[in-house]
Amino acid sequence: MLLAIVVMCALVAAWTVYPLLTGRANPSSDGELESNSKAAAWKQEKDRLVGEMVALDIALSENRIDVSDHNEQRNRLMSEAEEAAARLGKSRKVESSTPPARNYPRLGLAVALAVIVSASSLALLLNRNDVRSDSNPHADGRIPLPSTMAGMTPATPPPASQGNRGPMIGPDGTPDVGAMVARLESRVNAGNPSIDDVIMLARSYRVLDREDESVALYRKAQTMAPDDPGIRLVLASALIRSEKDTYIDEGEKIVDDLLVSDPKKPEALWLKSLGLVKRHEIDEARKTLTQLSALVEEDSKAKIAVTGLLRELDTASAGSTNPDAKSTTPVPSE
């Protein structure tokens, strides 16, 4: 970095003092007379006078003018030529009296050296005061952190999860479900809640076994977005997983309506199979799961869930044929 600053300063200094080092002296009058604007004007005037004199001689030789007119015009041209020559002499005298341009090489070198030395000194000063540095001054202990200077342990920052959207943490370090539910309730009851808040509160009620309140909130979310099939699936899932027959019937009706519009919708087929399992219609549930297994991707979570439920159904069917085995119908957990 220091080298780059020095090089840049050297370039700036060279650009600054270049005119002082390369000043041009006055050009000599003899060598550059033709480039002078006044000399060019004199040459143009001379050509004009010579041309007119030649024209006069030709006119006299062709008897187009008499001798007296020829002499009168020639005298006039000679007078003009003398005046032009006098003007040219004055201009050359003024140009020759102009002092030659001077250059100052020593002054230029002194200015360049002063610029380089000043810039280098400033760069070293800034680098020493750690205003500009490529290293971390805290890493080598040059500028200790406040906690190490005072011999104190750094204060523990508040958990990032305690923001407006993160889970609230209780004194024991576990999520405070009650506080989170209270916070969601306050937002929902305040009016104009978002669909996300309503669904989150419904899920919280479901975890707390407050089923009726959970289903009511799921229905409220559906009324907020009646054309959203995803929310209808969430409501159907909550109804079908219930232990109440009325809820199960309502959930199956929602699933059947979704399958009418999209017979191969994987989420709807999964909920359909769960409803059949709860009604102990094992053969129909197995057919639905077999159809769903062909739709989901291999090695996916959906494939694992479908395969696992089919295996549980086969185990339950095998157990029902054994008189000593307890006949049970598997119900997948959430």
Side-chain angles (χ1 to χ4, degrees):
M1 181 64 71
L2 179 59
L3 179 60
I5 294 176
V6 173
V7 172
M8 183 63 67
C9 293
L11 293 176
V12 172
W15 177 78
T16 304
V17 303
Y18 179 77
L20 299 176
L21 297 175
T22 60
R24 295 177 57 192
N26 281 342
S28 61
S29 300
D30 296 336
E32 298 185 9
L33 181 61
E34 296 299 327
S35 62
N36 187 279
S37 60
K38 294 181 180 180
W42 156 247
K43 184 178 184 299
Q44 183 179 1
E45 181 70 10
K46 181 191 68 174
D47 294 340
R48 182 184 69 83
L49 294 173
V50 171
E52 289 188 9
M53 288 183 180
V54 171
L56 282 174
D57 293 340
I58 294 175
L60 179 63
S61 63
E62 294 178 354
N63 296 322
R64 286 188 284 114
I65 60 174
D66 56 14
V67 176
S68 60
D69 290 337
H70 177 268
N71 293 333
E72 181 181 357
Q73 293 295 328
R74 184 177 182 84
N75 292 333
R76 180 182 61 80
L77 293 176
M78 292 299 295
S79 176
E80 292 181 1
E82 290 176 357
E83 291 179 359
R87 290 197 302 269
L88 177 62
K90 291 181 180 180
S91 64
R92 294 180 62 183
K93 183 178 180 181
V94 171
E95 291 178 358
S96 62
S97 63
T98 303
R102 300 178 61 187
N103 51 14
Y104 303 90
R106 294 183 180 179
L107 178 60
L109 293 176
V111 172
L113 183 61
V115 171
I116 295 175
V117 172
S118 300
S120 303
S121 301
L122 179 61
L124 290 173
L125 179 62
L126 294 178
N127 188 60
R128 184 177 305 165
N129 290 336
D130 201 34
V131 176
R132 178 194 56 78
S133 179
D134 298 330
S135 62
N136 183 3
H138 304 297
D140 54 8
R142 285 181 293 163
I143 302 179
L145 294 173
S147 59
T148 58
M149 285 193 300
M152 299 182 301
T153 57
T156 303
S161 60
Q162 293 194 18
N164 293 332
R165 288 290 181 180
M168 302 184 68
I169 307 300
D172 56 352
T174 59
D176 191 344
V177 179
M180 289 188 293
V181 172
R183 186 177 64 180
L184 286 172
E185 287 177 339
S186 63
R187 288 209 299 264
V188 172
N189 296 331
N192 295 325
S194 65
I195 294 180
D196 292 338
D197 288 340
V198 173
I199 292 178
M200 287 176 62
L201 184 57
R203 289 173 178 170
S204 301
Y205 282 160
R206 185 174 168 188
V207 172
L208 298 175
D209 294 330
R210 297 164 62 175
E211 184 178 38
D212 294 335
E213 295 173 278
S214 175
V215 172
L217 286 174
Y218 280 129
R219 288 172 177 165
K220 180 177 181 179
Q222 185 187 13
T223 58
M224 294 173 68
D227 297 330
D228 191 340
I231 297 180
R232 295 181 65 190
L233 283 170
V234 171
L235 174 59
S237 176
L239 293 171
I240 288 176
R241 296 177 188 277
S242 173
E243 298 298 330
K244 297 181 179 181
D245 292 338
T246 55
Y247 283 170
I248 297 175
D249 294 340
E250 182 182 355
E252 288 181 332
K253 184 178 184 307
I254 295 175
V255 170
D256 290 338
D257 292 340
L258 291 172
L259 288 175
V260 169
S261 58
D262 188 359
K264 294 184 178 181
K265 192 174 185 62
E267 298 87 349
L269 289 173
W270 173 253
L271 294 177
K272 178 71 174 179
S273 65
L274 296 186
L276 293 173
V277 170
K278 298 197 75 170
R279 293 185 180 278
H280 302 285
E281 299 179 10
I282 305 302
D283 292 337
E284 292 297 326
R286 186 180 289 108
K287 291 179 182 178
T288 303
L289 289 171
T290 303
Q291 179 184 0
L292 177 59
S293 179
L295 297 176
V296 296
E297 297 180 359
E298 295 291 337
D299 299 330
S300 62
K301 292 183 179 180
K303 185 74 171 182
I304 295 173
V306 171
T307 303
L309 184 55
L310 281 171
R311 189 180 300 111
E312 291 182 10
L313 294 178
D314 293 339
T315 302
S317 298
S320 63
T321 58
N322 187 356
D324 297 331
K326 186 182 295 185
S327 177
T328 58
T329 300
V331 178
S333 58
E334 297 184 36

PDB file of all heavy atoms in Angstrom, residues 95-113:
ATOM      1  N   GLU A  95       8.830  41.440 -32.129  1.00  0.00           N
ATOM      2  CA  GLU A  95       9.045  40.019 -31.842  1.00  0.00           C
ATOM      3  C   GLU A  95      10.459  39.761 -31.356  1.00  0.00           C
ATOM      4  O   GLU A  95      10.685  38.934 -30.491  1.00  0.00           O
ATOM      5  CB  GLU A  95       8.759  39.192 -33.096  1.00  0.00           C
ATOM      6  CG  GLU A  95       7.281  39.170 -33.475  1.00  0.00           C
ATOM      7  CD  GLU A  95       7.056  38.383 -34.743  1.00  0.00           C
ATOM      8  OE1 GLU A  95       8.069  37.914 -35.318  1.00  0.00           O
ATOM      9  OE2 GLU A  95       5.902  38.244 -35.168  1.00  0.00           O
ATOM     10  N   SER A  96      11.423  40.469 -31.938  1.00  0.00           N
ATOM     11  CA  SER A  96      12.809  40.240 -31.513  1.00  0.00           C
ATOM     12  C   SER A  96      13.081  40.782 -30.124  1.00  0.00           C
ATOM     13  O   SER A  96      14.008  40.317 -29.430  1.00  0.00           O
ATOM     14  CB  SER A  96      13.767  40.878 -32.524  1.00  0.00           C
ATOM     15  OG  SER A  96      13.541  42.296 -32.569  1.00  0.00           O
ATOM     16  N   SER A  97      12.262  41.763 -29.687  1.00  0.00           N
ATOM     17  CA  SER A  97      12.464  42.322 -28.344  1.00  0.00           C
ATOM     18  C   SER A  97      11.805  41.482 -27.252  1.00  0.00           C
ATOM     19  O   SER A  97      12.009  41.750 -26.072  1.00  0.00           O
ATOM     20  CB  SER A  97      11.904  43.752 -28.292  1.00  0.00           C
ATOM     21  OG  SER A  97      10.503  43.749 -28.523  1.00  0.00           O
ATOM     22  N   THR A  98      10.971  40.477 -27.583  1.00  0.00           N
ATOM     23  CA  THR A  98      10.313  39.610 -26.589  1.00  0.00           C
ATOM     24  C   THR A  98      11.355  38.710 -25.943  1.00  0.00           C
ATOM     25  O   THR A  98      12.111  38.018 -26.644  1.00  0.00           O
ATOM     26  CB  THR A  98       9.230  38.742 -27.261  1.00  0.00           C
ATOM     27  OG1 THR A  98       8.305  39.609 -27.909  1.00  0.00           O
ATOM     28  CG2 THR A  98       8.527  37.887 -26.237  1.00  0.00           C
ATOM     29  N   PRO A  99      11.435  38.662 -24.610  1.00  0.00           N
ATOM     30  CA  PRO A  99      12.460  37.834 -23.957  1.00  0.00           C
ATOM     31  C   PRO A  99      12.165  36.356 -24.159  1.00  0.00           C
ATOM     32  O   PRO A  99      11.010  35.944 -24.217  1.00  0.00           O
ATOM     33  CB  PRO A  99      12.346  38.235 -22.479  1.00  0.00           C
ATOM     34  CG  PRO A  99      10.950  38.738 -22.325  1.00  0.00           C
ATOM     35  CD  PRO A  99      10.607  39.387 -23.627  1.00  0.00           C
ATOM     36  N   PRO A 100      13.162  35.551 -24.249  1.00  0.00           N
ATOM     37  CA  PRO A 100      12.944  34.105 -24.446  1.00  0.00           C
ATOM     38  C   PRO A 100      12.337  33.466 -23.197  1.00  0.00           C
ATOM     39  O   PRO A 100      12.553  33.923 -22.082  1.00  0.00           O
ATOM     40  CB  PRO A 100      14.355  33.578 -24.720  1.00  0.00           C
ATOM     41  CG  PRO A 100      15.255  34.565 -24.049  1.00  0.00           C
ATOM     42  CD  PRO A 100      14.585  35.906 -24.191  1.00  0.00           C
ATOM     43  N   ALA A 101      11.543  32.429 -23.456  1.00  0.00           N
ATOM     44  CA  ALA A 101      10.932  31.705 -22.324  1.00  0.00           C
ATOM     45  C   ALA A 101      12.008  30.988 -21.529  1.00  0.00           C
ATOM     46  O   ALA A 101      12.980  30.467 -22.072  1.00  0.00           O
ATOM     47  CB  ALA A 101       9.916  30.684 -22.861  1.00  0.00           C
ATOM     48  N   ARG A 102      11.808  30.972 -20.216  1.00  0.00           N
ATOM     49  CA  ARG A 102      12.784  30.352 -19.322  1.00  0.00           C
ATOM     50  C   ARG A 102      12.177  29.117 -18.676  1.00  0.00           C
ATOM     51  O   ARG A 102      10.978  29.059 -18.384  1.00  0.00           O
ATOM     52  CB  ARG A 102      13.199  31.344 -18.235  1.00  0.00           C
ATOM     53  CG  ARG A 102      13.839  32.614 -18.785  1.00  0.00           C
ATOM     54  CD  ARG A 102      14.171  33.566 -17.660  1.00  0.00           C
ATOM     55  NE  ARG A 102      15.119  32.952 -16.742  1.00  0.00           N
ATOM     56  CZ  ARG A 102      15.475  33.504 -15.589  1.00  0.00           C
ATOM     57  NH1 ARG A 102      14.947  34.661 -15.227  1.00  0.00           N
ATOM     58  NH2 ARG A 102      16.346  32.899 -14.799  1.00  0.00           N
ATOM     59  N   ASN A 103      12.991  28.127 -18.420  1.00  0.00           N
ATOM     60  CA  ASN A 103      12.552  26.943 -17.669  1.00  0.00           C
ATOM     61  C   ASN A 103      13.292  26.903 -16.340  1.00  0.00           C
ATOM     62  O   ASN A 103      14.329  27.540 -16.166  1.00  0.00           O
ATOM     63  CB  ASN A 103      12.783  25.656 -18.472  1.00  0.00           C
ATOM     64  CG  ASN A 103      14.203  25.564 -18.988  1.00  0.00           C
ATOM     65  OD1 ASN A 103      15.075  26.299 -18.551  1.00  0.00           O
ATOM     66  ND2 ASN A 103      14.431  24.650 -19.941  1.00  0.00           N
ATOM     67  N   TYR A 104      12.704  26.167 -15.400  1.00  0.00           N
ATOM     68  CA  TYR A 104      13.224  26.125 -14.033  1.00  0.00           C
ATOM     69  C   TYR A 104      13.415  24.659 -13.623  1.00  0.00           C
ATOM     70  O   TYR A 104      12.597  24.108 -12.878  1.00  0.00           O
ATOM     71  CB  TYR A 104      12.268  26.823 -13.072  1.00  0.00           C
ATOM     72  CG  TYR A 104      11.972  28.263 -13.460  1.00  0.00           C
ATOM     73  CD1 TYR A 104      10.898  28.576 -14.301  1.00  0.00           C
ATOM     74  CD2 TYR A 104      12.776  29.294 -12.988  1.00  0.00           C
ATOM     75  CE1 TYR A 104      10.631  29.882 -14.648  1.00  0.00           C
ATOM     76  CE2 TYR A 104      12.506  30.615 -13.334  1.00  0.00           C
ATOM     77  CZ  TYR A 104      11.434  30.901 -14.159  1.00  0.00           C
ATOM     78  OH  TYR A 104      11.175  32.200 -14.502  1.00  0.00           O
ATOM     79  N   PRO A 105      14.436  23.999 -14.086  1.00  0.00           N
ATOM     80  CA  PRO A 105      14.614  22.576 -13.756  1.00  0.00           C
ATOM     81  C   PRO A 105      14.864  22.342 -12.278  1.00  0.00           C
ATOM     82  O   PRO A 105      14.351  21.367 -11.707  1.00  0.00           O
ATOM     83  CB  PRO A 105      15.811  22.165 -14.617  1.00  0.00           C
ATOM     84  CG  PRO A 105      16.541  23.450 -14.903  1.00  0.00           C
ATOM     85  CD  PRO A 105      15.492  24.513 -14.971  1.00  0.00           C
ATOM     86  N   ARG A 106      15.611  23.218 -11.636  1.00  0.00           N
ATOM     87  CA  ARG A 106      15.887  23.001 -10.212  1.00  0.00           C
ATOM     88  C   ARG A 106      14.621  23.162  -9.375  1.00  0.00           C
ATOM     89  O   ARG A 106      14.358  22.373  -8.469  1.00  0.00           O
ATOM     90  CB  ARG A 106      16.960  23.973  -9.745  1.00  0.00           C
ATOM     91  CG  ARG A 106      18.328  23.746 -10.387  1.00  0.00           C
ATOM     92  CD  ARG A 106      19.356  24.702  -9.832  1.00  0.00           C
ATOM     93  NE  ARG A 106      20.671  24.479 -10.441  1.00  0.00           N
ATOM     94  CZ  ARG A 106      21.749  25.197 -10.152  1.00  0.00           C
ATOM     95  NH1 ARG A 106      21.657  26.203  -9.268  1.00  0.00           N
ATOM     96  NH2 ARG A 106      22.905  24.936 -10.739  1.00  0.00           N
ATOM     97  N   LEU A 107      13.835  24.202  -9.725  1.00  0.00           N
ATOM     98  CA  LEU A 107      12.577  24.388  -9.001  1.00  0.00           C
ATOM     99  C   LEU A 107      11.627  23.209  -9.229  1.00  0.00           C
ATOM    100  O   LEU A 107      10.946  22.738  -8.308  1.00  0.00           O
ATOM    101  CB  LEU A 107      11.912  25.692  -9.449  1.00  0.00           C
ATOM    102  CG  LEU A 107      10.546  26.016  -8.818  1.00  0.00           C
ATOM    103  CD1 LEU A 107      10.681  26.127  -7.301  1.00  0.00           C
ATOM    104  CD2 LEU A 107       9.969  27.280  -9.412  1.00  0.00           C
ATOM    105  N   GLY A 108      11.589  22.703 -10.463  1.00  0.00           N
ATOM    106  CA  GLY A 108      10.717  21.562 -10.744  1.00  0.00           C
ATOM    107  C   GLY A 108      11.125  20.331  -9.954  1.00  0.00           C
ATOM    108  O   GLY A 108      10.284  19.629  -9.382  1.00  0.00           O
ATOM    109  N   LEU A 109      12.421  20.052  -9.917  1.00  0.00           N
ATOM    110  CA  LEU A 109      12.880  18.897  -9.153  1.00  0.00           C
ATOM    111  C   LEU A 109      12.601  19.074  -7.660  1.00  0.00           C
ATOM    112  O   LEU A 109      12.226  18.115  -6.955  1.00  0.00           O
ATOM    113  CB  LEU A 109      14.381  18.688  -9.387  1.00  0.00           C
ATOM    114  CG  LEU A 109      14.778  18.262 -10.810  1.00  0.00           C
ATOM    115  CD1 LEU A 109      16.306  18.198 -10.931  1.00  0.00           C
ATOM    116  CD2 LEU A 109      14.173  16.904 -11.143  1.00  0.00           C
ATOM    117  N   ALA A 110      12.744  20.304  -7.158  1.00  0.00           N
ATOM    118  CA  ALA A 110      12.463  20.544  -5.741  1.00  0.00           C
ATOM    119  C   ALA A 110      10.989  20.320  -5.424  1.00  0.00           C
ATOM    120  O   ALA A 110      10.631  19.724  -4.395  1.00  0.00           O
ATOM    121  CB  ALA A 110      12.896  21.970  -5.378  1.00  0.00           C
ATOM    122  N   VAL A 111      10.096  20.796  -6.283  1.00  0.00           N
ATOM    123  CA  VAL A 111       8.655  20.584  -6.060  1.00  0.00           C
ATOM    124  C   VAL A 111       8.316  19.104  -6.100  1.00  0.00           C
ATOM    125  O   VAL A 111       7.553  18.592  -5.265  1.00  0.00           O
ATOM    126  CB  VAL A 111       7.845  21.381  -7.110  1.00  0.00           C
ATOM    127  CG1 VAL A 111       6.371  21.020  -7.028  1.00  0.00           C
ATOM    128  CG2 VAL A 111       8.026  22.876  -6.895  1.00  0.00           C
ATOM    129  N   ALA A 112       8.858  18.359  -7.084  1.00  0.00           N
ATOM    130  CA  ALA A 112       8.578  16.921  -7.172  1.00  0.00           C
ATOM    131  C   ALA A 112       9.067  16.197  -5.930  1.00  0.00           C
ATOM    132  O   ALA A 112       8.359  15.339  -5.363  1.00  0.00           O
ATOM    133  CB  ALA A 112       9.239  16.349  -8.428  1.00  0.00           C
ATOM    134  N   LEU A 113      10.262  16.520  -5.456  1.00  0.00           N
ATOM    135  CA  LEU A 113      10.802  15.871  -4.263  1.00  0.00           C
ATOM    136  C   LEU A 113       9.964  16.207  -3.038  1.00  0.00           C
ATOM    137  O   LEU A 113       9.708  15.337  -2.186  1.00  0.00           O
ATOM    138  CB  LEU A 113      12.258  16.308  -4.059  1.00  0.00           C
ATOM    139  CG  LEU A 113      12.996  15.659  -2.886  1.00  0.00           C
ATOM    140  CD1 LEU A 113      13.068  14.153  -3.086  1.00  0.00           C
ATOM    141  CD2 LEU A 113      14.401  16.247  -2.749  1.00  0.00           C
TER     142      LEU A 113
END
